[in-house]
Amino acid sequence: MLAQPIASEASQLIQQQRRFFSTGQTQSVSFRLQQLKHLKAAIVDNQAAIAGAVRADLGRPEFEAYFEISVVREIDYALKHLQAWVKPKRVAVPVEQFPSSAHIYPEPLGVVLIIGPWNYPFQLVIAPLIGAIAAGNCAILKPSELAPHTSAVLADIIRQHFDPSYIAVVEGGVETSQQLLAEKFDHIFFTGGTAVGKIVMAAAAQHLTPVTLELGGKSPCIVDADIHLEYAARRITWGKFINAGQTCIAPDYLLVDRRIKDDLLAAIKRCIREFYGDEPAHSPDYARIINQHHFSRLVELLQTGRIFTGGTAKPEENYIAPTLLDQVNWDDPVMQAEIFGPILPVLEYDHLDEAIVRVNEQPKPLALYFFSRNQQKQAQVLRQTSSGTACINDTVMQVTMATLPFGGVGPSGMGRYHGKASFDTFSHQKSVLRKSFLFDLNWRYAPYANKLKLLKSMINRN
Ligand code: NAD
């Protein structure tokens, strides 16, 4: 592991990985399976240390810290399906190509860079790594410096279990990230904010390196009147306030049918009390804000609208209570950027059409939530809005499924991962046409006399 590498150290590490990649060892499926098992064992063996580090960085409840470790389920999924994923896929060949066969071969890209954020500081580095290993790549990981305990534990685990010529962790801050980004990789997988996403993409463009950008945004939560009030309130409260709202797909704001607004707010308030007690600051199940900078940014946002519940803050422990903000307007500061904290502004609508128009006026979000029993309305929302992912009648749970690709659209990101999508992200799909020497149709060779008729018949064939 390198602490604050100078640029040449980063490039040496990359060269070392390129040499290892060129030995072809990562091409072997059994090697990849073995490495995935090895990674799983390393995580399982170190689960207490990982959970402890995440708790130290984010003041996160133990249960939520263990979410980070549940990333091993992605490994199980890859172990189960990798043999099928790596198989070349046979595709049809048209008659004029005879005699031949055609296949799509997934091939590894080479040396990839994975840059992680602080909010789920372990799993958002490991989940893409699983895809990189499954697809046969070498990888350099740059965890977030804002979660230093997790970064250190992750670096330790990787150093103890993997040769840096294959997988390495480079710890450090923005400068380290920039030094790495100046290098040529075969793919860059970035998770973080939209502003830094632009910096990453600009750096990647210098080498024409493809990027996956897992970014953020304001994920709306639209609530129709036709719902199971208590279930909806519970699912919204959980999705918003886990990790104290520092979840990229947390519902950012509520857009509620005016007829049920009062009932919904009362129900969410009850849920907050049920989950975290009368004084969430004393709850073992409620996380803290990552640092003072984000704490102050969020406290500013508490000036908006009317506080329906919560609104208290303790600077000495970066605590902000689970907060509902009523009487919020679209042009209020809290509606201008991703909140990324435990503050839930509430806006109202009279007709669903109006809510959809409002949502579509905002940049395309990473997630969209819609609560309604009405299937026509569900279909309408899915058809008339665009978001990276969507979930009907729940929040956040769509991200936990290996069978659903995860990623943003427009400013909330590009590319997707989880399950097979991770394997595809870190693979090049090589198209291969294989001809035989059995015979050689001569319809395409000059002289073209008498052949145009055949070409025209191919073009005009129904
Ligand atoms: P961030 O963009 O500030 O930092 C992410 C990483 O980029 C860190 O490793 C950091 O060292 C590096 N970095 C920061 N500034 C840089 C610069 N100028 N040049 C090069 N590298 C730089 O993001 P964050 O604050 O760690 O995370 C919060 C954001 O991430 C939120 O917007 C959230 O929505 C988003 N996020 C998205 C997902 C997703 O899966 N789409 C998941 C988690 C978080």
Side-chain angles (χ1 to χ4, degrees), residues 116 118-119 124 142 145 177 191-193 196 214-216 248 338 406:
W118 54 261
N119 63 331
L124 293 180
K142 210 301 275 170
E145 71 281 12
S177 187
T191 307
V196 182
E214 297 285 342
L215 309 176
C248 57
E338 181 183 10
F406 179 78

Side-chain angles (χ1 to χ4, degrees), residues 234-242 245 247 249-251 275 395-396:
R234 243 155 70 170
R235 295 170 188 176
I236 293 167
T237 306
W238 176 78
K240 178 65 191 186
F241 299 113
I242 41 163
T247 304
I249 48 166
F275 289 3
T395 65
V396 176

Side-chain angles (χ1 to χ4, degrees), residues 93-341:
V93 283
V95 66
E96 62 271 18
Q97 296 285 4
F98 272 17
S100 69
S101 63
H103 291 85
I104 301 165
Y105 283 74
E107 66 175 26
L109 298 169
V111 176
V112 303
L113 172 65
I114 295 169
I115 300 179
W118 54 261
N119 63 331
Y120 289 84
F122 186 77
Q123 70 167 348
L124 293 180
V125 173
I126 296 297
L129 175 64
I130 295 164
I133 294 175
N137 299 279
C138 297
I140 293 179
L141 318 176
K142 210 301 275 170
S144 173
E145 71 281 12
L146 298 186
H149 296 89
T150 312
S151 174
V153 165
L154 201 149
D156 262 1
I157 294 173
I158 295 294
R159 191 180 43 207
Q160 280 170 26
H161 293 85
F162 295 93
D163 189 322
S165 313
Y166 173 44
I167 298 168
V169 175
V170 174
E171 285 191 275
V174 173
E175 207 184 307
T176 305
S177 187
Q178 286 169 346
Q179 285 166 352
L180 286 165
L181 286 169
E183 301 291 335
K184 180 170 168 36
F185 287 91
D186 298 297
H187 193 90
I188 297 173
F189 190 105
F190 170 80
T191 307
T194 301
V196 182
K198 290 180 186 172
I199 295 171
V200 170
M201 195 162 170
Q206 300 308 309
H207 301 290
L208 283 183
T209 301
V211 290
T212 302
L213 301 178
E214 297 285 342
L215 309 176
K218 287 182 87 62
S219 298
C221 180
I222 308 172
V223 187
D224 180 39
D226 185 8
I227 53 167
H228 187 301
L229 187 73
E230 294 306 320
Y231 289 175
R234 243 155 70 170
R235 295 170 188 176
I236 293 167
T237 306
W238 176 78
K240 178 65 191 186
F241 299 113
I242 41 163
N243 202 18
Q246 300 163 111
T247 304
C248 57
I249 48 166
D252 188 89
Y253 61 95
L254 282 187
L255 193 45
V256 191
D257 185 314
R258 199 182 301 280
R259 290 169 297 168
I260 59 145
K261 194 198 81 172
D262 291 345
D263 289 344
L264 182 68
L265 292 198
I268 294 177
K269 189 174 173 177
R270 279 197 301 277
C271 286
I272 293 172
R273 197 173 315 119
E274 226 174 82
F275 289 3
Y276 310 115
D278 287 333
E279 187 41 84
H282 300 148
S283 166
D285 296 327
Y286 187 67
R288 294 297 182 266
I289 305 305
I290 182 76
N291 59 24
Q292 219 176 354
H293 163 72
H294 283 286
F295 172 84
S296 309
R297 177 184 65 78
L298 289 163
V299 166
E300 285 281 305
L301 299 180
L302 291 173
Q303 311 311 315
T304 312
R306 183 178 74 85
I307 290 170
F308 182 82
T309 186
T312 53
K314 294 184 181 185
E316 64 283 7
E317 48 177 296
N318 290 338
Y319 164 83
I320 297 180
T323 299
L324 280 179
L325 285 182
D326 195 7
Q327 294 171 15
V328 172
N329 294 311
W330 287 95
D331 47 10
D332 284 336
V334 78
M335 293 306 296
Q336 304 315 307
E338 181 183 10
I339 297 169
F340 219 54

